[in-house]
Amino acid sequence: PVITSCRHRLCNAQAAQEAFQSQKVHGVLKPLIVVGQKYQADWAIDYDPHLHLLRISVDDAYEGLPAKVVSMIALIALLPDPPLLLKLDDDARPGNLKQLKSLASRLNQPTPIAAGYPIVTPTPLDLDRAWHLGKSRRANKRIFCSIGTREWLSGGAGYILNTSAVRLINEFWLHTWDFVNTMLYEDVCLSMLLQAGDVQFQWLRHPGELGLQSERQEEVDQGQWSVPETFFHQHHDYQT
């Protein structure tokens, strides 16, 4: 598990980290916390083993989320044996972690696979291009005007990438960095890279199937988010 946070919300991230540690489920590693450090040398990696905290040289504001997440995944891909990676927000808490382990075991395949709860729109033109307004440091006076997609992994619900998908993002990190810098929405950016690499998606009918609890899951349960049933019929080969 990797908790994507920022320096101003480090206490929230540490609370999430402690919640997962308290479960002590075999095979689920201690969550890594990742924050940005814009003025750190671009070649530097600052890892605190005591806090299990990784500081990387990217913008730590909302606008920097795509670069933060893509860089974090790419750096983990440099390990000799990269693990399956579960991306979390700092509001996430463990749910049924045995369910998470079961999902991870099904994704442990040589082909690139990603799993998560889908956000679905009729066309890329229906992407909410004002989602960032009020959350940003420098982009609150302009709408998002880059290309989008019609379906993507919900970053708020969390998502999991198998080892092959992690390595694929590393390749795009080196190859398509300018695209990453045009994006504002981390989950849309990552999903578009995965789609470009022909990754297989395991679309989950409910965020809880990840074995997590999150604000996004609560919103789904309250009916604020939903996915048309026709979407799952169209993607029946990739359901869990």
Side-chain angles (χ1 to χ4, degrees), residues 39-116:
Y39 298 107
Q40 183 172 299
D42 59 5
W43 48 262
I45 300 173
D46 182 7
Y47 173 66
D48 185 327
H50 176 67
L51 298 176
H52 206 36
L53 170 67
L54 181 68
R55 299 181 182 91
I56 55 180
S57 56
V58 297
D59 187 353
D60 202 36
Y62 183 90
E63 297 90 323
L65 268 173
K68 184 184 296 180
V69 170
V70 170
S71 296
M72 170 270 292
I73 296 170
L75 289 171
I76 288 176
L78 297 177
L79 294 169
D81 187 19
L84 281 77
L85 186 149
L86 173 67
K87 181 268 177 185
L88 311 168
D89 283 350
D90 56 24
D91 68 291
R93 295 294 183 270
N96 185 346
L97 293 184
K98 291 183 179 179
Q99 194 169 16
L100 169 63
K101 286 187 62 178
S102 176
L103 173 60
S105 68
R106 297 198 298 274
L107 300 187
N108 191 17
Q109 301 180 35
T111 55
I113 309 176

Side-chain angles (χ1 to χ4, degrees), residues 1-6 12-18 20 31-35 72 86-92:
V2 180
I3 301 165
T4 307
S5 189
C6 62
N12 301 64
Q14 290 172 328
Q17 185 185 60
E18 291 171 6
F20 280 87
L32 174 70
I33 298 173
V34 176
V35 299
M72 170 270 292
L86 173 67
K87 181 268 177 185
L88 311 168
D89 283 350
D90 56 24
D91 68 291

Side-chain angles (χ1 to χ4, degrees), residues 140-192:
N140 280 328
K141 295 183 179 180
R142 62 181 176 88
I143 63 169
F144 174 68
C145 58
S146 187
I147 189 69
T149 184
R150 70 177 64 202
E151 56 196 43
W152 63 92
L153 296 160
S154 169
Y159 47 78
I160 186 169
L161 309 180
N162 73 357
T163 298
S164 294
V166 167
R167 289 186 169 127
L168 178 67
I169 293 300
N170 175 272
E171 295 179 25
F172 277 111
W173 178 55
L174 295 170
H175 181 271
T176 322
W177 185 246
D178 283 351
F179 165 75
V180 175
N181 282 330
T182 70
M183 300 298 284
L184 277 174
Y185 310 134
E186 150 264 321
D187 47 6
V188 175
C189 175
L190 182 76
S191 297
M192 290 178 68

Side-chain angles (χ1 to χ4, degrees), residues 117-119 131 152 154 216 219-227:
Y117 182 73
I119 303 296
W131 179 261
W152 63 92
S154 169
R216 182 69 73 247
E219 292 169 354
V220 170
D221 290 339
Q222 293 166 5
Q224 298 181 38
W225 298 82
S226 64
V227 180

Side-chain angles (χ1 to χ4, degrees), residues 107 109 111-115 194 197-202 237-239:
L107 300 187
Q109 301 180 35
T111 55
I113 309 176
L194 295 171
D198 294 325
V199 169
Q200 177 180 323
F201 287 83
Q202 295 266 341
D237 291 338
Y238 303 136
Q239 292 181 56

